[in-house]
Amino acid sequence: MKGTLLLLALLVTGELGFQTTEACIPYIEAYTTMVLGNKQLMNALLTKFHPTNGEREAADKVQECFNEAGLKAKILDSIVLHLITDSPECKQYYTQDVKNKIDAFLSKVIGK
């Protein structure tokens, strides 16, 4: 599952012509809303990307997979995401602006 999501994110960012660092924040936001399991929250976030009905249905299915997998799988997937985004290989591509956005987003999520 986590490999599938990562591959999907990389394919989408490649097809849209984005640098992966530019897609980092939106990917983490979308991933977080899917893992939380709240359909309304996920749809609110997806709205800013102007998704088609098919894309919304696909996101719903991914969220259902996360919900069916349970808390343990969600935690393990989140650890993998953290390890990838916090790796030295990824960090070398982050600009200071991206680092600030990640810090601000994590502060909102964690509540610091």
Side-chain angles (χ1 to χ4, degrees):
M1 169 83 125
K2 55 190 157 246
T4 304
L5 288 175
L6 181 60
L7 179 61
L8 177 64
L10 293 174
L11 288 172
V12 169
T13 57
E15 287 298 314
L16 295 176
F18 291 119
Q19 297 294 324
T20 53
T21 54
E22 292 172 359
C24 184
I25 298 299
Y27 176 75
I28 291 173
E29 288 175 341
Y31 177 84
T32 302
T33 61
M34 285 184 185
V35 170
L36 289 174
N38 184 314
K39 187 173 180 175
Q40 290 79 18
L41 183 61
M42 182 186 68
N43 281 327
L45 176 80
L46 290 177
T47 299
K48 77 179 190 179
F49 300 110
H50 310 291
T52 64
N53 288 337
E55 290 167 335
R56 282 193 190 275
E57 289 175 19
D60 286 343
K61 289 179 182 179
V62 170
Q63 190 174 56
E64 286 175 20
C65 289
F66 274 117
N67 289 337
E68 289 173 8
L71 183 60
K72 181 178 178 183
K74 289 179 182 184
I75 291 170
L76 292 175
D77 283 350
S78 297
I79 290 170
V80 169
L81 178 65
H82 171 73
L83 292 173
I84 291 169
T85 57
D86 201 35
S87 70
E89 295 85 5
C90 284
K91 283 184 173 180
Q92 71 184 353
Y93 292 103
Y94 296 162
T95 62
Q96 189 59 44
D97 182 49
V98 169
K99 290 177 188 176
N100 292 341
K101 288 179 182 178
I102 291 171
D103 287 343
F105 176 72
L106 291 175
S107 295
K108 282 194 273 184
V109 172
I110 296 171
K112 289 185 178 181

